Amino acid sequence: MTVAAISTPAAVGGIAMIRISGESALKIADEIFVSPSGKKPSQMAGYTCAYGEIAPGGNRLDDGILTVFRSPKSYTGEDVVEISCHGGIYVSRKILREILRLGAEPAGPGEFTKRAFLNGKLSLTQAEAVMDIVSAEGDAALSSANLMREGAIYKKAREISKKLVEVLSSLAAWTDYPDEDLPEAEPEKITGKLAECREALKKLISGYDEGLIFKEGVPCAIVGRPNVGKSTLMNALLGYERSIVTDEAGTTRDVIEERLRLGDLILKLSDTAGLREAKSEAERQGVRLSEKSAERASLVLAVFDGSRELSPEDMEVLKICENKRRIIVINKVDLPQKIDKEYFKDEIILEVEAKTGRGVEKIKAAAYEALGLEQGGAPEVYANERQKLCCERALKFVSEAEEAALRGETLDAVTVLADEAAGALLELSGERVTEAVVEDVFSRFCVGK
Ligand code: GDP
């Protein structure tokens, strides 16, 4: 089946691109494209392009560039034609309609990449990486996606499965020749290899959480009693006036969310109502929101007024975020200081004058430290959720196999468990997946990709 879709966004722009893939791609292109030399797309070599008119049935719609890719040397592995025309929504849709009229089917979400996977041009993790490249919002997310595109996750999964296969073959040798003296089948060797698999899987799983930080951002709450300068701090961090600041206590009633980019790290900031005994109903609502947003946050900026001694309300603020990764922000350092800094001696402290923005630039180092991340560390590849779930399943079976081996259970039991673990890794790499998993992966793509 030949499919077609507009691969550029549904918006007016300089250029729009319509992609056709499948056995009739060139035949369809012959019907709509007229080059000045009269050469037809089906006569063009792969990796060549031509200028011409897009004129189905002699009816000129636009002019543009047509590029030919011939199977198997194309993105999908099939014959592919890409037509770049002027970037109008109407004109590009009109051209697509003509292509569909000539027999192509509309491509589903991610259909081109799915075909690339089904035709063996990409592994499943590489196909997923394509999506990650499209959605990357920072260098860490982009370099992770590129590493995955180069096969980094696939290779890691393969290394682990290779070890599991070694374990399985030792076990098989042992079962087949129980009386022989087989050094590779020594129980310590088997448990040792399983332990290596366990650690490698754990590392891949923990990379998922770190990856989420870079891919999706860290929910971060700014909390503190009224008037310590939370809104002023938020504005200083974002570099512009976002929430209204007044001298009256308790004016920030609704939670406001903003994204703050600190190098690769994105903080999803929420400014909340002051934490205190709320008098009015609206304020009470605000305090609840404040506690809620602190609960949801992965990082808390706890703000204190440096010109005042710590109050019981401040203690309440500290209590709300006592089990959270947090940064103690001491504000108003321009005023004579009364706060007891010793109280925070084991914490990450950020001293600022929010009003002028002095000191707020240190938030980056503080946030990286609070989240246990390394600034400018070597690029890492982060597993996505599907891959993490496969790793977790593999880990469960590897751990059970290891325990069974240590307990001295029958080798059959160990074999079954190690085999299950290997199966989970084959699912990760896409070498043994169900159609439903493949459908699910590509349903997240956009049409035309
Ligand atoms: P919130 O209730 O915690 O959101 O506090 P606001 O941001 O509304 O600030 C309360 C008051 O503190 C306002 O009058 C601000 O101008 C003042 N303020 C904020 N930051 C500073 C600062 O760094 N130095 C001084 N002196 N005053 C500040």
Side-chain angles (χ1 to χ4, degrees), residues 5-228:
I6 302 171
S7 284
T8 38
V12 174
I15 290 171
M17 195 268 273
I18 301 139
R19 191 186 258 165
I20 318 170
S21 179
E23 55 195 11
S24 312
L26 290 159
K27 201 171 115 266
I28 292 172
D30 281 355
E31 304 263 343
I32 61 165
F33 188 79
V34 187
S35 76
S37 71
K39 193 171 181 180
K40 290 189 174 298
S42 59
Q43 298 166 326
M44 289 164 62
Y47 295 143
T48 61
C49 60
Y51 166 78
E53 284 195 345
I54 300 143
N59 174 28
R60 184 187 188 281
L61 299 176
D62 198 0
D63 54 351
I65 303 286
L66 178 141
T67 313
V68 169
F69 302 86
R70 284 187 179 268
S71 170
K73 293 184 175 172
S74 71
Y75 182 63
T76 59
E78 305 167 333
D79 281 345
V80 170
V81 170
E82 290 182 356
I83 301 169
S84 301
C85 63
H86 289 106
I89 297 174
Y90 186 76
V91 70
S92 52
R93 286 196 180 156
K94 178 107 182 155
I95 296 169
L96 176 65
R97 259 203 303 278
E98 290 297 328
I99 293 168
L100 299 181
R101 193 179 55 78
L102 289 164
E105 295 287 327
E111 174 117 23
F112 297 104
T113 313
K114 182 160 104 185
R115 288 179 172 218
F117 164 68
L118 294 174
N119 292 325
K121 301 288 287 186
L122 293 173
S123 70
L124 193 60
T125 56
Q126 285 174 319
E128 288 173 309
V130 171
M131 192 62 207
D132 287 353
I133 290 174
V134 174
S135 58
E137 282 195 63
D139 281 348
L142 182 60
S143 52
S144 164
N146 273 311
L147 286 171
M148 202 190 287
R149 181 76 177 77
E150 287 161 18
I153 285 271
Y154 181 79
K155 282 187 202 131
K156 284 187 185 194
R158 284 303 289 265
E159 274 166 32
I160 303 171
S161 12
K162 219 176 112 206
K163 280 207 182 92
L164 283 172
V165 170
E166 284 167 19
V167 169
L168 285 166
S169 56
S170 311
L171 289 167
W174 182 264
T175 317
D176 291 345
Y177 308 102
D179 301 328
E180 302 274 327
D181 204 9
L182 295 166
E184 68 270 23
E186 282 166 14
E188 306 83 64
K189 285 236 167 81
I190 287 172
T191 50
K193 281 220 174 84
L194 287 171
E196 283 171 28
C197 295
R198 163 169 47 81
E199 287 313 304
L201 285 166
K202 276 192 181 158
K203 203 158 162 244
L204 271 176
I205 293 166
S206 71
Y208 168 77
D209 292 330
E210 190 169 323
L212 268 195
I213 291 178
F214 292 121
K215 286 184 200 163
E216 293 182 9
V218 181
C220 175
I222 302 181
V223 299
R225 65 177 170 77
N227 258 356
V228 291

Side-chain angles (χ1 to χ4, degrees), residues 224-233 244-252 271-272 274 331-335 352-356:
R225 65 177 170 77
N227 258 356
V228 291
K230 296 181 297 299
S231 310
T232 316
L233 175 71
I244 311 144
V245 184
T246 69
D247 282 343
E248 196 189 313
T251 45
T252 321
D271 181 11
T272 55
N331 186 29
K332 308 194 188 181
V333 291
D334 52 308
L335 301 175
V352 298
E353 183 186 345
K355 218 169 167 176
T356 60

